[in-house]
């Protein structure tokens, strides 16, 4: 499964962005999908994940209440709506697919390329 992340950009603090993760095949519904981010000089960290059906979602404490993950299996896409953005949200954001939801990046099998989010103060 090839994943394509998009939607990054430059936004002021307090603003919003919507990231999308599109799959090349109609098999994305077989996988839980997670979003991770990596800021310069820092380790990759878990942001959010959604179950295969979309019935369950999980968030890092740092984004809870500000970010919302959703999926449309008919369109093979997973979205990450990011509101109330902060400068500390600046990072490259990656989507990834796993057999079951997990917050551990090494358990994800397929990865998209990063999309850069920059939040200015």
């Amino acid at each position: 499964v090839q994943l394509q992340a998009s939607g990054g950009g430059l936004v002021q603090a307090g603003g919003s962005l919507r990231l999308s993760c599109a799959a090349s095949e109609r098999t994305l519904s077989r996988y839980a999908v997670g979003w991770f981010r990596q800021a310069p000089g820092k380790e990759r960290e878990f942001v959010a994940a959604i179950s295969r059906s979309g019935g369950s979602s999980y968030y890092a404490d740092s984004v809870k209440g500000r970010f919302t993950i959703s999926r449309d299996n008919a369109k093979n896409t997973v979205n990450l709506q990011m509101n109330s953005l902060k400068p500390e949200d600046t990072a490259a954001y990656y989507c990834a697919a796993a057999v079951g939801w997990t917050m551990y990046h090494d358990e994800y099998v397929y990865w998209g390329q990063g999309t850069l989010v920059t939040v200015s103060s």
Side-chain angles (χ1 to χ4, degrees):
V1 177
Q2 291 186 325
L3 302 176
Q4 178 83 26
S6 62
L10 173 64
V11 64
Q12 289 188 331
S16 298
L17 281 175
R18 184 178 178 87
L19 304 185
S20 291
C21 179
S24 59
E25 304 169 14
R26 294 190 176 187
T27 56
L28 192 60
S29 60
R30 300 178 184 176
Y31 301 94
V33 175
W35 284 94
F36 291 79
R37 65 187 182 187
Q38 188 166 18
K42 294 188 177 181
E43 294 186 354
R44 189 168 297 192
E45 65 173 352
F46 170 77
V47 175
I50 191 165
S51 63
R52 286 176 289 180
S53 68
S56 298
S57 55
Y58 313 88
Y59 299 92
D61 288 342
S62 59
V63 306
K64 201 171 293 184
R66 300 187 297 122
F67 291 11
T68 303
I69 190 170
S70 62
R71 70 188 299 162
D72 185 337
N73 285 337
K75 296 182 178 179
N76 291 309
T77 58
V78 173
N79 297 312
L80 184 69
Q81 178 67 41
M82 305 187 297
N83 298 329
S84 303
L85 283 162
K86 305 175 181 179
E88 50 264 44
D89 294 319
T90 295
Y93 283 71
Y94 301 85
C95 62
V99 173
W101 102 266
T102 172
M103 62 184 294
Y104 300 106
H105 64 83
D106 56 358
E107 296 185 20
Y108 283 79
V109 180
Y110 302 104
W111 287 84
Q113 88 296 349
T115 185
L116 185 61
V117 172
T118 303
V119 184
S120 62
S121 58

